[in-house]
Coordinates of all heavy atoms in Angstrom, one line a residue:
M1 N 76.5 71.7 55.6 CA 76.3 72.4 56.8 C 76.6 74.0 56.5 O 77.4 74.3 55.6 CB 77.3 72.0 57.8 CG 77.2 72.7 59.2 SD 78.3 71.9 60.4 CE 78.1 73.1 61.7
G2 N 75.9 74.8 57.1 CA 76.0 76.2 56.9 C 76.2 76.9 58.3 O 76.3 76.3 59.3
G3 N 76.2 78.2 58.2 CA 76.4 79.1 59.4 C 77.7 79.7 59.5 O 78.6 79.5 58.7
A4 N 77.9 80.4 60.6 CA 79.2 81.1 60.8 C 80.4 80.2 60.9 O 81.4 80.5 60.2 CB 79.1 81.9 62.1
L5 N 80.3 79.1 61.6 CA 81.5 78.2 61.7 C 81.9 77.6 60.3 O 83.1 77.6 60.0 CB 81.3 77.1 62.7 CG 82.4 76.1 63.0 CD1 83.7 76.9 63.5 CD2 82.1 75.1 64.0
S6 N 80.9 77.1 59.6 CA 81.2 76.6 58.3 C 81.7 77.7 57.3 O 82.6 77.3 56.5 CB 79.9 76.1 57.7 OG 79.5 74.9 58.4
T7 N 81.2 78.9 57.5 CA 81.7 79.9 56.5 C 83.2 80.4 56.9 O 83.9 80.5 56.0 CB 80.7 81.2 56.7 OG1 79.5 80.8 56.2 CG2 81.2 82.3 55.8
Y8 N 83.4 80.6 58.2 CA 84.8 81.1 58.4 C 85.8 80.0 58.8 O 87.0 80.3 58.7 CB 84.6 82.1 59.7 CG 83.8 83.2 59.2 CD1 82.5 83.4 59.8 CD2 84.2 84.2 58.3 CE1 81.8 84.5 59.3 CE2 83.5 85.2 57.9 CZ 82.1 85.3 58.4 OH 81.4 86.4 58.0
S9 N 85.4 78.8 59.0 CA 86.4 77.7 59.4 C 85.9 76.4 58.8 O 85.8 75.4 59.5 CB 86.6 77.6 61.0 OG 87.1 78.8 61.5
P10 N 85.7 76.3 57.5 CA 85.2 75.1 56.9 C 86.2 73.9 57.1 O 85.7 72.8 57.3 CB 85.2 75.5 55.5 CG 85.9 76.7 55.2 CD 86.0 77.4 56.4
H11 N 87.5 74.1 57.1 CA 88.5 73.2 57.3 C 88.2 72.3 58.6 O 88.4 71.2 58.8 CB 89.9 73.6 57.1 CG 90.3 74.7 58.2 ND1 89.9 75.9 58.2 CD2 91.0 74.5 59.3 CE1 90.4 76.5 59.2 NE2 91.1 75.8 59.9
V12 N 87.9 73.2 59.7 CA 87.7 72.6 61.0 C 86.5 71.6 61.0 O 86.5 70.6 61.5 CB 87.5 73.7 62.1 CG1 87.0 73.1 63.4 CG2 88.8 74.4 62.2
V13 N 85.3 72.2 60.3 CA 84.1 71.4 60.2 C 84.2 70.2 59.5 O 84.0 69.0 59.9 CB 83.0 72.2 59.7 CG1 81.8 71.5 59.5 CG2 82.7 73.5 60.6
L14 N 85.0 70.3 58.3 CA 85.2 69.2 57.3 C 86.1 68.1 58.0 O 85.9 66.8 57.8 CB 85.7 69.7 56.0 CG 84.6 70.4 55.3 CD1 85.3 71.1 54.1 CD2 83.5 69.6 54.8
E15 N 87.2 68.4 58.6 CA 88.2 67.6 59.1 C 87.8 67.0 60.5 O 88.4 65.9 60.8 CB 89.5 68.3 59.2 CG 90.1 68.7 57.9 CD 91.3 69.6 58.0 OE1 91.9 69.7 59.1 OE2 91.7 70.1 57.0
H16 N 86.7 67.5 61.1 CA 86.5 67.0 62.5 C 85.0 66.7 62.7 O 84.6 66.7 63.8 CB 86.8 68.0 63.6 CG 88.3 68.4 63.6 ND1 89.2 67.6 64.1 CD2 89.0 69.5 63.1 CE1 90.5 68.0 63.9 NE2 90.3 69.3 63.2
S17 N 84.3 66.3 61.6 CA 82.9 66.0 61.7 C 82.6 65.0 60.5 O 83.4 64.8 59.7 CB 82.1 67.2 61.6 OG 82.0 67.7 60.4
Q18 N 81.4 64.6 60.4 CA 80.9 63.8 59.4 C 80.3 64.6 58.2 O 79.6 64.1 57.3 CB 79.8 62.9 59.9 CG 80.3 61.9 60.9 CD 81.1 60.7 60.4 OE1 80.8 60.3 59.3 NE2 82.1 60.3 61.1
V19 N 80.5 65.9 58.3 CA 80.0 66.8 57.2 C 80.7 66.6 55.9 O 82.0 66.6 55.9 CB 80.1 68.3 57.7 CG1 79.8 69.3 56.6 CG2 79.1 68.4 58.9
D20 N 80.0 66.6 54.7 CA 80.6 66.4 53.4 C 80.9 67.8 52.8 O 81.8 68.0 52.0 CB 79.8 65.7 52.5 CG 79.7 64.2 53.0 OD1 80.7 63.7 53.4 OD2 78.6 63.6 52.9
Y21 N 80.0 68.8 53.0 CA 80.1 70.0 52.3 C 79.8 71.2 53.3 O 78.9 71.1 54.1 CB 79.0 70.1 51.1 CG 79.2 69.1 50.2 CD1 78.4 67.9 50.2 CD2 80.2 69.2 49.1 CE1 78.5 67.0 49.3 CE2 80.4 68.2 48.2 CZ 79.5 67.1 48.2 OH 79.7 66.0 47.3
C22 N 80.5 72.3 53.2 CA 80.1 73.5 53.9 C 79.7 74.6 52.9 O 80.4 74.8 51.9 CB 81.4 74.0 54.7 SG 81.9 73.0 56.1
V23 N 78.7 75.3 53.3 CA 78.1 76.4 52.4 C 78.8 77.6 53.1 O 78.7 77.8 54.3 CB 76.6 76.4 52.4 CG1 76.1 77.7 51.8 CG2 76.0 75.3 51.8
L24 N 79.4 78.4 52.2 CA 80.2 79.6 52.7 C 79.3 80.8 52.4 O 79.1 81.2 51.2 CB 81.5 79.6 52.0 CG 82.3 78.4 51.9 CD1 83.6 78.6 51.2 CD2 82.6 78.1 53.4
G25 N 78.7 81.4 53.3 CA 77.9 82.6 53.2 C 76.4 82.2 53.0 O 75.9 81.2 53.6
E26 N 75.6 82.9 52.2 CA 74.2 82.7 52.0 C 74.0 81.3 51.4 O 74.8 80.9 50.4 CB 73.6 83.8 51.1 CG 73.7 85.1 51.8 CD 73.2 86.2 50.8 OE1 72.8 86.0 49.6 OE2 73.2 87.4 51.3
G27 N 73.0 80.5 51.8 CA 72.8 79.2 51.3 C 71.7 78.9 50.5 O 71.5 77.9 49.9
E28 N 70.7 79.9 50.3 CA 69.5 79.6 49.6 C 69.7 79.1 48.2 O 69.1 78.1 47.7 CB 68.6 80.8 49.6 CG 68.0 81.2 50.9 CD 69.0 82.1 51.8 OE1 70.2 82.3 51.3 OE2 68.7 82.4 52.9
E29 N 70.6 79.8 47.4 CA 70.8 79.4 46.0 C 71.9 78.3 45.9 O 71.9 77.5 45.1 CB 71.2 80.6 45.1 CG 69.9 81.5 45.0 CD 70.3 82.8 44.3 OE1 71.4 82.9 43.6 OE2 69.5 83.7 44.2
T30 N 72.9 78.4 46.9 CA 74.0 77.5 46.8 C 73.6 76.1 47.0 O 74.0 75.1 46.4 CB 75.0 77.9 47.9 OG1 75.4 79.3 47.8 CG2 76.2 77.1 47.9
I31 N 72.6 75.9 48.0 CA 72.2 74.4 48.2 C 71.6 73.9 47.0 O 71.7 72.7 46.7 CB 71.4 74.4 49.5 CG1 71.1 73.0 49.9 CG2 70.0 75.1 49.4 CD1 72.4 72.2 50.4
L32 N 70.7 74.6 46.3 CA 70.1 74.2 45.1 C 71.1 73.8 44.0 O 71.0 72.7 43.4 CB 69.1 75.1 44.6 CG 67.9 75.5 45.5 CD1 67.0 76.6 44.9 CD2 67.1 74.3 45.8
D33 N 72.1 74.6 43.9 CA 73.2 74.3 42.9 C 73.9 73.1 43.4 O 74.3 72.3 42.5 CB 74.1 75.6 42.9 CG 75.0 75.7 41.8 OD1 74.8 74.8 40.8 OD2 76.0 76.5 41.7
L34 N 74.3 73.0 44.7 CA 74.9 71.8 45.2 C 74.2 70.5 44.9 O 74.8 69.5 44.6 CB 75.3 72.0 46.7 CG 76.0 70.8 47.4 CD1 77.4 70.6 46.6 CD2 76.2 71.2 48.7
I35 N 72.9 70.5 45.2 CA 72.1 69.3 44.9 C 72.1 68.9 43.5 O 72.2 67.7 43.2 CB 70.6 69.6 45.4 CG1 70.5 69.6 46.9 CG2 69.7 68.5 44.8 CD1 69.3 70.2 47.4
N36 N 72.1 69.8 42.6 CA 72.3 69.6 41.1 C 73.6 69.2 40.6 O 73.7 68.7 39.6 CB 71.7 70.7 40.3 CG 70.1 70.9 40.5 OD1 69.5 69.9 40.5 ND2 69.8 72.2 40.6
N37 N 74.6 69.4 41.6 CA 76.0 69.1 41.1 C 76.8 68.3 42.2 O 78.0 68.5 42.4 CB 76.8 70.4 40.8 CG 76.2 71.1 39.6 OD1 76.5 70.7 38.5 ND2 75.5 72.1 39.8
L38 N 76.2 67.4 42.8 CA 76.8 66.6 44.0 C 78.0 65.9 43.4 O 79.0 65.7 44.1 CB 75.9 65.6 44.6 CG 74.9 66.2 45.6 CD1 74.0 65.2 46.1 CD2 75.7 66.8 46.8
H39 N 78.1 65.4 42.2 CA 79.2 64.6 41.6 C 80.3 65.5 41.1 O 81.3 65.0 40.7 CB 78.8 63.6 40.6 CG 77.8 62.7 41.1 ND1 78.2 61.7 42.1 CD2 76.5 62.4 41.0 CE1 77.2 60.9 42.5 NE2 76.1 61.4 41.8
Q40 N 80.0 66.8 41.1 CA 81.1 67.8 40.6 C 81.0 69.1 41.4 O 80.6 70.1 40.9 CB 80.7 68.2 39.1 CG 80.9 67.1 38.1 CD 80.5 67.4 36.8 OE1 79.5 68.1 36.5 NE2 81.4 67.1 35.8
P41 N 81.3 68.9 42.7 CA 81.2 70.1 43.6 C 82.1 71.3 43.2 O 81.9 72.4 43.6 CB 81.6 69.5 44.9 CG 82.4 68.3 44.6 CD 81.9 67.8 43.3
E42 N 83.2 71.0 42.4 CA 84.0 72.1 42.0 C 83.3 73.1 41.1 O 83.7 74.3 40.9 CB 85.3 71.6 41.3 CG 85.0 70.9 40.0 CD 84.6 69.4 40.2 OE1 84.6 68.9 41.3 OE2 84.4 68.8 39.1
K43 N 82.1 72.7 40.6 CA 81.3 73.7 39.8 C 80.4 74.6 40.5 O 79.8 75.5 40.1 CB 80.5 72.8 38.7 CG 81.3 72.2 37.8 CD 80.4 71.5 36.7 CE 81.1 71.0 35.5 NZ 80.2 70.4 34.5
V44 N 80.3 74.3 41.8 CA 79.4 75.0 42.7 C 80.1 76.2 43.5 O 81.0 75.9 44.2 CB 78.7 74.2 43.8 CG1 77.7 74.8 44.7 CG2 78.1 73.0 43.1
A45 N 79.7 77.4 43.2 CA 80.3 78.5 43.8 C 79.8 78.7 45.3 O 78.7 78.4 45.6 CB 79.9 79.9 43.1
G46 N 80.8 79.0 46.2 CA 80.3 79.3 47.6 C 80.3 78.1 48.5 O 79.5 78.0 49.5
I47 N 81.2 77.0 48.3 CA 81.2 75.8 49.1 C 82.6 75.5 49.4 O 83.6 75.9 48.8 CB 80.4 74.6 48.6 CG1 81.1 74.0 47.3 CG2 78.9 74.9 48.3 CD1 80.7 72.8 46.9
A48 N 82.7 74.6 50.4 CA 84.0 74.0 50.8 C 83.7 72.5 50.9 O 82.7 72.1 51.3 CB 84.6 74.6 52.1
Y49 N 84.7 71.6 50.5 CA 84.6 70.1 50.6 C 85.9 69.5 50.8 O 86.8 70.0 50.5 CB 83.7 69.7 49.3 CG 84.5 69.9 48.1 CD1 85.3 68.9 47.5 CD2 84.4 71.2 47.4 CE1 85.8 69.1 46.3 CE2 85.0 71.3 46.2 CZ 85.8 70.4 45.7 OH 86.4 70.6 44.4
L50 N 85.9 68.3 51.2 CA 87.0 67.4 51.3 C 87.2 66.5 50.1 O 86.2 66.0 49.6 CB 87.0 66.5 52.6 CG 87.3 67.1 53.9 CD1 87.3 66.0 54.9 CD2 88.8 67.7 53.9
R51 N 88.4 66.4 49.7 CA 88.8 65.4 48.6 C 90.1 64.9 49.0 O 91.1 65.7 49.1 CB 88.7 66.1 47.2 CG 89.1 65.0 46.2 CD 88.7 65.5 44.8 NE 87.4 65.7 44.5 CZ 86.9 66.3 43.5 NH1 87.6 67.1 42.7 NH2 85.5 66.3 43.4
D52 N 90.2 63.6 49.1 CA 91.5 63.0 49.5 C 92.1 63.6 50.6 O 93.4 63.7 50.7 CB 92.5 63.0 48.2 CG 91.9 62.3 47.1 OD1 91.3 61.2 47.3 OD2 92.1 62.7 45.9
G53 N 91.3 63.9 51.7 CA 91.8 64.4 52.9 C 92.2 66.0 52.8 O 92.7 66.4 53.9
K54 N 92.0 66.6 51.8 CA 92.3 68.0 51.7 C 91.1 68.8 51.4 O 90.2 68.4 50.7 CB 93.3 68.2 50.5 CG 93.9 69.6 50.3 CD 94.8 69.7 49.2 CE 95.3 71.2 49.0 NZ 96.1 71.4 47.8
T55 N 91.0 70.0 52.2 CA 90.0 70.9 51.9 C 90.1 71.8 50.8 O 91.1 72.4 50.5 CB 89.8 71.9 53.3 OG1 89.7 71.0 54.4 CG2 88.7 72.7 53.2
F56 N 89.0 71.9 49.9 CA 88.9 72.7 48.8 C 87.8 73.7 49.0 O 86.7 73.4 49.5 CB 88.7 71.9 47.5 CG 89.8 71.1 47.1 CD1 89.9 69.7 47.6 CD2 90.8 71.5 46.2 CE1 91.0 68.9 47.3 CE2 91.8 70.7 45.8 CZ 92.0 69.4 46.4
K57 N 88.0 74.9 48.6 CA 87.0 76.0 48.5 C 86.9 76.4 47.1 O 87.9 76.6 46.3 CB 87.4 77.2 49.3 CG 87.5 77.1 50.8 CD 88.3 78.2 51.5 CE 87.3 78.9 52.3 NZ 88.0 80.1 53.0
T58 N 85.6 76.5 46.7 CA 85.3 77.1 45.3 C 85.2 78.6 45.3 O 85.2 79.2 46.3 CB 84.0 76.5 44.8 OG1 82.9 76.9 45.8 CG2 84.0 75.0 44.8
M59 N 85.1 79.1 44.2 CA 84.9 80.6 44.0 C 83.8 81.0 44.9 O 82.8 80.4 45.1 CB 84.7 81.0 42.6 CG 85.8 80.8 41.7 SD 85.4 81.3 39.9 CE 84.4 82.8 40.1
P60 N 83.9 82.3 45.6 CA 82.8 82.9 46.3 C 81.6 83.1 45.4 O 81.8 83.4 44.3 CB 83.4 84.2 46.8 CG 84.8 84.1 46.6 CD 85.1 83.1 45.5
R61 N 80.4 83.0 46.0 CA 79.2 83.3 45.3 C 78.8 84.7 45.7 O 78.9 85.1 47.0 CB 78.0 82.3 45.8 CG 76.8 82.5 45.1 CD 75.8 81.5 45.5 NE 76.1 80.1 45.1 CZ 75.6 79.6 44.0 NH1 75.0 80.3 43.2 NH2 76.0 78.4 43.7
A62 N 78.4 85.6 44.8 CA 78.1 87.0 45.1 C 76.8 86.9 46.0 O 75.9 86.1 45.8 CB 77.7 87.7 43.8
A63 N 76.9 87.7 47.0 CA 75.8 87.9 47.9 C 74.5 88.3 47.1 O 74.5 89.1 46.1 CB 76.0 88.9 49.0
K64 N 73.3 87.8 47.5 CA 72.1 88.1 46.8 C 71.9 89.6 46.8 O 71.3 90.1 45.7 CB 70.9 87.5 47.5 CG 69.6 87.6 46.7 CD 68.5 86.9 47.4 CE 67.2 86.9 46.7 NZ 66.1 86.3 47.2
M65 N 72.2 90.3 47.8 CA 71.9 91.7 47.8 C 72.8 92.5 46.7 O 72.3 93.4 46.1 CB 72.3 92.3 49.2 CG 71.6 93.5 49.5 SD 71.6 93.7 51.2 CE 72.4 95.2 51.6
E66 N 74.0 92.0 46.6 CA 74.9 92.6 45.5 C 74.3 92.3 44.1 O 74.4 93.2 43.2 CB 76.3 91.9 45.7 CG 77.1 92.3 46.8 CD 78.4 91.7 46.9 OE1 78.8 91.3 45.7 OE2 79.0 91.6 48.0
R67 N 73.8 91.1 43.9 CA 73.2 90.8 42.6 C 72.0 91.6 42.2 O 71.8 91.9 41.2 CB 72.9 89.3 42.4 CG 74.1 88.5 42.4 CD 73.8 87.0 42.0 NE 72.8 86.4 42.8 CZ 72.9 85.9 44.0 NH1 74.2 85.8 44.5 NH2 71.9 85.3 44.7
E68 N 71.2 91.8 43.3 CA 70.0 92.7 43.1 C 70.4 94.1 42.8 O 69.8 94.8 42.0 CB 69.1 92.6 44.3 CG 68.4 91.3 44.4 CD 67.7 91.0 45.7 OE1 67.8 91.9 46.5 OE2 67.1 89.9 45.9
K69 N 71.5 94.6 43.4 CA 71.8 96.0 43.3 C 72.6 96.2 42.1 O 72.4 97.3 41.4 CB 72.7 96.4 44.5 CG 73.0 97.9 44.5 CD 73.8 98.2 45.9 CE 74.1 99.6 46.0 NZ 74.9 99.9 47.1
Y70 N 73.4 95.3 41.7 CA 74.3 95.4 40.4 C 74.0 94.1 39.6 O 74.8 93.2 39.5 CB 75.7 95.5 40.8 CG 76.1 96.6 41.7 CD1 76.3 96.3 43.0 CD2 76.1 97.9 41.2 CE1 76.6 97.3 43.9 CE2 76.4 98.9 42.1 CZ 76.6 98.7 43.5 OH 77.0 99.7 44.3
P71 N 72.9 94.1 38.9 CA 72.6 92.9 38.0 C 73.5 92.5 37.0 O 74.3 92.8 36.3 CB 71.2 93.2 37.4 CG 70.9 94.6 37.7 CD 71.9 95.0 38.6

């Protein structure tokens, strides 16, 4: 799931819904990375997920605009 609620309150979404992963911020590249790493979500920057009832957040993914400006 993406959007503002997932980005700013992923623990609420994950703990109170059937959602497995929250995309934090821009999702165009994150979702592709997540699809390729479903069994190792800790390798995907910019997501939150539940494991054993606890919410985990990975490292933030740099915004696309930042990467284009500072390659």
Side-chain angles (χ1 to χ4, degrees):
M1 182 173 171
L5 182 60
S6 292
T7 297
Y8 297 108
S9 298
H11 63 285
V12 172
V13 174
L14 292 167
E15 293 172 11
H16 300 284
S17 70
Q18 298 284 328
V19 171
D20 293 318
Y21 304 97
C22 288
V23 173
L24 312 175
E26 297 175 357
E28 291 83 359
E29 294 177 9
T30 305
I31 192 66
L32 296 175
D33 197 8
L34 179 58
I35 289 168
N36 290 318
N37 291 286
L38 279 175
H39 297 292
Q40 296 177 311
E42 63 278 0
K43 292 185 172 187
V44 181
I47 65 167
Y49 60 95
L50 276 181
R51 181 171 287 160
D52 299 324
K54 184 176 177 187
T55 300
F56 290 89
K57 289 170 117 178
T58 61
M59 289 181 39
R61 183 178 295 271
K64 185 175 181 182
M65 202 156 124
E66 288 178 23
R67 288 193 308 276
E68 290 172 354
K69 188 174 181 180
Y70 305 102

